[in-house]
């Protein structure tokens, strides 16, 4: 499961260990957030009063499907099964420039 | 199960300025009591469910402090189903003979917002813009359409149907019809779901009077039998709302499990259902729940919705969300599950007027789905 938790989601056992999974996967499903998310709880800064829609999805990494943002060129619509690669980007959150993990479209 | 419904009542859904949620609940309860020709003093317990309204205990303002126990039950959008399940249990246990379940709510305009910590979700889930229920509905629909080769025209069919039924229901919020073009031309909210494919937070209330079958016979009331009320929760591996990851192993969705249990408890099968109310937070939810409740096969919805015919060939027709569902009534979270029960009761009694299902239905089904993955399926007969 992701992120790390002290107890197993399935059986609540505390015998947990961390495992690395590859940084490449395929889109299992996705959507686009086309309007500003309710705030609170969202703390994403909307700069210059201009909301930029963003993509979210579950990416199938083999052992696990992880929820995350997807980053595609503006003129490309994701398709289930598209290959994506894990990366990091900056995001303005409550006035601070932070890092978030994202899945980038894999350019062939 | 041997519980009976002897009264059902609503307060109209939509927006009622100046009327609090509990006041709307009191109106719904008064209507249910009047329908069953009973009074407040006959009730041995009351269960109430609301998200943004007052506690059920404040009902005493309208009916007096009679010593009647009042119990607050909340399970997200499945609140009405949860309350009904608890009421049925209290009656089955023999502790009480008759009681009421009241659902009522009054939400502000705009998308629902919630605190991720209340659902055990990490801080970043809220901070970075994932705490949006519409995202889950969009992603679930996206996956489902792709898996079963269903197009957005089927989603539009659902929206058009909902508003057509809404136009025939004087208690509904949205009474104007929509065309497919209007639906497909409305702004995209969370792909592939557009504005008119989503319900909106609203206001309203619904109440039912539940009693033991013995009590119904004793007081000689016409009754609808609650054959089953099956409540199931999230299982590991099922794709439900509010999950930051999903394991490789896949479990069947909670609605399938609740539905199977409801059928096995009641002794009737999906082929016996003549009218059904399914959770339709969005058009994708309705088509997914059609199959998950067993009313059709996965993928069959396309034909079902486009020809308006039954899912099992031409043998019969079944009508879904005959009061317009959440799409036409909006979603007052506490009230919707019991609104469904009221609609099935009305249909089984043949009193649904211009939206009455043909063929004098005898068996109906209701289904709610709530965060974080709870489902309640009820089967009612006359």
């Amino acid at each position: 499961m992701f992120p790390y938790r002290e107890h197993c989601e399935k059986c609540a056992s505390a015998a947990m260990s961390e495992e690395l999974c590859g940084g490449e996967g395929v889109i299992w499903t996705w959507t686009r957030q086309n309007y500003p998310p309710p705030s609170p709880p969202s703390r994403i800064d909307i700069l210059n009063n201009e909301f930029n829609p963003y993509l979210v999805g579950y990416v199938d990494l083999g052992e696990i499907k992880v929820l995350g943002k997807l980053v595609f060129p503006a003129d490309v619509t994701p398709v289930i099964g598209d290959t994506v690669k894990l990366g990091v980007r900056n995001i303005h959150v409550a006035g601070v420039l932070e890092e978030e993990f994202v899945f980038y479209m894999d350019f062939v | 199960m041997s519980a009976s419904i002897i009264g059902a009542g609503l307060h109209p859904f939509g927006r009622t300025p100046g009327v609090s949620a509990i006041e709307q609940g009191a109106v719904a309860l008064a209507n249910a009591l009047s329908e069953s020709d009973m009074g407040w003093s006959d009730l041995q317990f009351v269960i109430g469910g609301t998200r943004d309204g007052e506690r059920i205990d404040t009902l005493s303002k309208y009916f007096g402090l009679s010593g009647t126990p009042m119990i607050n039950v909340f399970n997200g959008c499945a609140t009405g189903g949860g309350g009904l399940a608890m009421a049925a249990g209290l009656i089955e246990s023999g502790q009480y003979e008759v009681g009421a379940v009241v659902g009522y709510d009054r939400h502000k305009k705009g998308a629902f917002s919630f605190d991720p910590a209340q659902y055990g979700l990490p801080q970043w889930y809220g901070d970075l813009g994932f705490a949006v229920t519409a995202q889950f509905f969009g992603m679930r629909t996206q996956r489902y359409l792709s898996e079963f080769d269903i197009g957005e025209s089927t989603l539009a069919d659902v929206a058009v149907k909902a508003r057509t039924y809404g136009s025939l229901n004087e208690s509904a919020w949205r009474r104007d019809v929509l065309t497919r073009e209007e639906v497909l031309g409305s702004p995209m909210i969370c792909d592939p779901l557009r504005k008119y494919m989503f319900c909106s937070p609203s206001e309203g209330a619904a109440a039912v009077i539940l009693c033991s079958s013995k009590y119904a016979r004793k007081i000689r009331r016409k009754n609808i039998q609650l054959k089953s009320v099956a409540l199931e929760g999230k299982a590991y591996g099922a794709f439900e709302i509010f999950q930051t990851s999903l394991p490789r192993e896949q479990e069947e969705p909670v609605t399938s499990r609740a539905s199977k249990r409801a059928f096995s408890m009641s002794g009737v099968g999906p082929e016996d259902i003549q009218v059904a109310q399914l959770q339709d937070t969005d058009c994708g939810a309705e088509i997914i729940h059609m199959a998950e409740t067993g009313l059709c096969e996965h993928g069959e919805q396309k034909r079902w919705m486009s020809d308006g015919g039954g899912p099992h060939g031409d043998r019969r027709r079944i009508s879904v969300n005959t009061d317009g569902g959440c799409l036409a009534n909006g979603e007052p979270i506490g009230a919707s599950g019991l609104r469904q029960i009221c609609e099935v009761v009305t249909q089984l009694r043949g009193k649904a007027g211009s939206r009455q299902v043909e063929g004098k239905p005898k068996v109906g089904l209701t289904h709610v789905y709530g965060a974080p993955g709870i489902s309640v399926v009820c089967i009612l007969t006359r």
Side-chain angles (χ1 to χ4, degrees):
Chain A
M1 62 201 183
F2 174 84
Y4 178 82
R5 282 164 42 160
E6 287 178 350
H7 294 271
C8 170
E9 199 177 19
K10 185 178 185 180
C11 66
S13 158
M16 300 295 286
S17 62
E18 288 191 54
E19 272 184 53
L20 279 177
C21 49
E24 190 175 301
V26 295
I27 295 176
W28 189 72
T29 189
W30 67 276
T31 191
R32 184 185 281 110
Q33 181 67 34
N34 286 295
Y35 63 96
S39 175
S42 169
R43 298 169 72 220
I44 300 174
D45 292 326
I46 295 173
L47 305 174
N48 308 320
N49 268 336
E50 212 171 292
F51 171 72
N52 290 312
Y54 53 91
L55 297 165
V56 303
Y58 285 94
V59 172
D60 193 343
L61 296 170
E63 280 304 309
I64 187 171
K65 299 175 194 88
V66 169
L67 175 68
K69 301 245 178 89
L70 310 175
V71 181
F72 275 60
D75 58 342
V76 181
T77 300
V79 175
I80 288 172
D82 276 354
T83 303
V84 288
K85 282 187 170 159
L86 186 63
V88 175
R89 73 164 177 186
N90 290 326
I91 182 169
H92 292 270
V93 181
V96 180
L97 194 61
E98 292 193 8
E99 282 190 331
E100 70 172 343
F101 78 89
V102 293
F103 293 97
Y104 285 101
M105 176 180 167
D106 188 29
F107 294 95
V108 182
Chain B
M1 180 161 283
S2 62
S4 297
I5 293 172
I6 50 174
L10 294 174
H11 176 282
F13 281 52
R15 297 272 172 215
T16 316
V19 183
S20 69
I22 193 68
E23 202 173 339
Q24 298 186 32
V27 169
L29 179 57
N31 287 337
L33 284 169
S34 147
E35 198 205 35
S36 55
D37 199 17
M38 291 177 59
W40 168 258
S41 58
D42 295 315
L43 297 177
Q44 297 166 4
F45 70 90
V46 178
I47 291 179
T50 189
R51 184 183 114 134
D52 293 338
E54 302 79 355
R55 293 281 164 151
I56 189 66
D57 313 73
T58 61
L59 202 59
S60 60
K61 183 179 163 190
Y62 307 95
F63 296 99
L65 280 170
S66 49
T68 311
M70 292 194 245
I71 307 151
N72 295 275
V73 174
F74 181 72
N75 286 101
C77 298
T79 290
L84 193 67
M86 298 305 107
L90 287 175
I91 286 167
E92 286 267 290
S93 76
Q95 191 179 354
Y96 300 106
E97 285 183 297
V98 57
V101 193
V102 189
Y104 50 102
D105 241 320
R106 193 160 191 254
H107 308 300
K108 284 186 224 148
K109 276 186 175 177
F112 285 115
S113 118
F114 63 94
D115 177 8
Q118 282 201 337
Y119 288 94
L121 291 157
Q123 176 81 26
W124 60 261
Y125 187 87
D127 286 356
L128 300 177
F130 292 96
V132 183
T133 52
Q135 280 177 18
F136 165 73
F137 297 117
M139 288 191 286
R140 185 173 61 161
T141 301
Q142 189 86 264
R143 177 81 200 167
Y144 195 85
L145 297 189
S146 150
E147 209 166 327
F148 297 103
D149 192 28
I150 298 170
E152 67 169 359
S153 63
T154 302
L155 299 177
D157 288 336
V158 174
V160 169
K161 171 186 65 71
R163 297 292 279 264
T164 304
Y165 273 127
S167 73
L168 303 174
N169 175 9
E170 61 188 23
S171 294
W173 182 20
R174 312 284 194 194
R175 310 268 338 256
D176 48 335
V177 295
L178 282 176
T179 64
R180 289 166 56 86
E181 292 66 35
E182 284 170 316
V183 175
L184 292 172
S186 65
M188 193 64 90
I189 300 294
C190 280
D191 307 43
L193 298 169
R194 295 172 182 278
K195 182 182 171 186
Y196 291 139
M197 297 175 181
F198 270 109
C199 73
S200 310
S202 72
E203 302 171 19
V208 300
I209 314 290
L210 197 68
C211 67
S212 67
S213 299
K214 194 176 153 194
Y215 184 87
R217 280 194 301 275
K218 190 172 79 186
I219 65 164
R220 298 185 181 178
R221 294 290 187 281
K222 272 194 179 171
N223 64 81
I224 299 293
Q225 287 112 51
L226 183 63
K227 285 290 183 189
S228 57
V229 39
L231 190 149
E232 291 283 343
K234 190 176 199 164
Y236 181 73
F239 179 30
E240 313 288 2
I241 199 165
F242 297 162
Q243 282 169 296
T244 49
S245 68
L246 299 165
R248 181 193 280 272
E249 60 191 274
Q250 264 188 284
E251 176 59 57
E252 66 178 332
V254 65
T255 289
S256 303
R257 291 170 37 240
S259 180
K260 282 177 189 166
R261 205 154 69 77
F263 283 120
S264 97
M265 281 166 77
S266 65
V268 305
E271 65 284 357
D272 298 314
I273 304 298
Q274 292 159 297
V275 56
Q277 316 299 320
L278 308 177
Q279 180 86 36
D280 61 336
T281 310
D282 59 274
C283 294
E286 180 168 321
I287 63 167
I288 293 167
H289 294 145
M290 283 171 162
E292 287 183 355
T293 51
L295 297 178
C296 71
E297 297 296 324
H298 290 290
E300 231 184 334
Q301 300 95 329
K302 193 161 49 174
R303 191 171 52 80
W304 181 359
M305 290 314 304
S306 62
D307 66 11
H312 303 280
D314 295 321
R315 284 188 294 120
R316 67 198 188 93
R317 293 167 79 90
I318 176 170
S319 302
V320 170
N321 292 340
T322 47
D323 65 353
C326 289
L327 290 165
N329 286 280
E331 170 66 312
I333 286 181
S336 294
L338 296 171
R339 170 183 54 73
Q340 296 180 333
I341 299 284
C342 290
E343 174 63 9
V344 169
V345 167
T346 305
Q347 290 283 351
L348 296 184
R349 287 181 167 161
K351 291 186 172 169
S354 55
R355 62 177 198 282
Q356 178 65 44
V357 169
E358 288 172 24
K360 298 181 179 166
K362 283 186 174 160
V363 188
L365 176 147
T366 69
H367 158 263
V368 283
Y369 178 89
I374 181 169
S375 182
V376 187
V377 175
C378 300
I379 292 168
L380 299 96
T381 62
R382 70 170 162 88

